[in-house]
Amino acid sequence: MKGLFIHGAEDMRLDDVAVPAPGEGEVLLRVRYVGICGSDLHYYFHGKNGENLVREPFAPGHEFSATVESDPSGEWARGTPVTVHPARYGRPVAGLDDRPHLWPGGDYLGSAADFPHRQGAAAEYVVVGKPMLRRLPDGLSLRDAALAEPLGVALHALTVAGEHPGDQVLVLGAGPVGLLTVAALAARGVGHVAVGDVQEAALDRARALGAHETFLIGRDDVPAAEYPVVFECSGAPASLTQAVTSAARAGVVVQVGMLADAAIGVNLAPLVSKELQLRGTFRFSTEIDEAVEMLAAHPAIAGVVTHVLPAADAVEAFATATDSAASGKVLIEF
């Protein structure tokens, strides 16, 4: 079979490898679409994601859809369309019963955190455990289902924000996760969703997904002390400063974008004077199940996808995914 492997910084090849065989409790999947995530971009362009260094040929990909190729137990019929929860949870921790994604010792498809690496889904075939499978409902295409994982990330951010995000929300950063956060808020009926980004094209995509108001950062003034909930989705220090500035008194700022693993310059003074809560959010627990249902019920969310390229053009696909002016979510088709 063909598999996409990163061998080092800007060294990615479509290699011939053996088709894996499913063991007990596992199924073999025929991969159809794989989404390119920010972590995948770091692995390719830098040979590492944060502290996670690529130390062997490494297949990226944790956002994907597939069909069942074979299940030795006979439980899953060949051809069944699915998406996959990429996590295998670690050791339970007291007090974190409802947050298994934070338990230590787990892993995630397409992660070089451990060695040997947890290989991802960027290949024609992949083996996963049956508990990771999510059957697609009728009407949800394999293309659109590749958005289930990143939409799950967005929905978990809403979970972290609280039971109800209120009727006035600000999203800073309109990349793929920011756009999916906008789409999730709109699908849940939030009355006013404002979005800020440095790219006009990204704001156009946000409006198409349900944003009621947009701000071009650097040109427009973003209101201060206005929004009970702010989602920071870019990971840029200046954007976090803006999030703290724009949050209403006693408001909540949810940090969705991955921050650099380094000292960064951020003005957090209003955090104290406004009694704000700054909350981190990481991956998701069960929200992928709601994501599948939401994608089926709101097909317009699939507008996040701007490009679909074949696996043979993976290098071009990764380059396209870095251009936020030109692209939203980029998929690779196998």
Side-chain angles (χ1 to χ4, degrees), residues 223-315:
E226 182 78 14
Y227 302 95
V229 178
V230 181
F231 295 92
E232 199 299 298
C233 297
S234 74
S239 185
L240 178 52
T241 294
Q242 183 65 64
V244 171
T245 299
S246 295
R249 289 169 177 80
V252 172
V253 175
V254 181
Q255 185 60 45
V256 186
M258 294 297 290
L259 297 170
D261 184 19
I264 58 176
V266 179
N267 182 2
L268 295 179
L271 194 74
V272 176
S273 60
K274 293 194 289 186
E275 290 193 3
L276 303 178
Q277 296 183 50
L278 176 58
R279 302 177 182 176
T281 179
F282 182 64
R283 295 177 179 165
F284 53 83
S285 175
T286 62
E287 286 88 354
I288 194 170
D289 299 316
E290 182 184 355
V292 170
E293 295 174 358
M294 186 174 283
L295 287 166
H298 301 273
I301 294 176
V304 171
V305 176
T306 56
H307 297 77
V308 180
L309 286 87
D313 296 333
V315 170

Side-chain angles (χ1 to χ4, degrees), residues 144-200:
D144 296 355
L147 292 171
E149 194 276 349
L151 181 57
V153 170
L155 287 168
H156 185 65
L158 270 63
T159 300
V160 169
E163 292 186 3
H164 195 290
D167 289 327
Q168 194 170 16
V169 175
L170 174 64
V171 177
L172 292 173
V177 171
L179 291 172
L180 288 167
T181 302
V182 171
L185 290 164
R188 287 193 176 179
V190 173
H192 188 88
V193 180
V195 182
D197 197 274
V198 297
Q199 297 282 356
E200 188 65 63

Side-chain angles (χ1 to χ4, degrees), residues 103-148:
W103 295 348
D107 61 23
Y108 213 74
L109 285 171
S111 172
D114 298 317
F115 187 84
H117 301 330
R118 177 68 162 131
Q119 299 292 340
E124 290 181 309
Y125 295 92
V126 67
V127 167
V128 301
K130 286 195 286 188
M132 303 167 73
L133 296 177
R134 300 295 187 272
R135 188 188 305 268
L136 302 187
D138 293 341
L140 179 57
S141 70
L142 286 162
R143 175 188 180 276
D144 296 355
L147 292 171

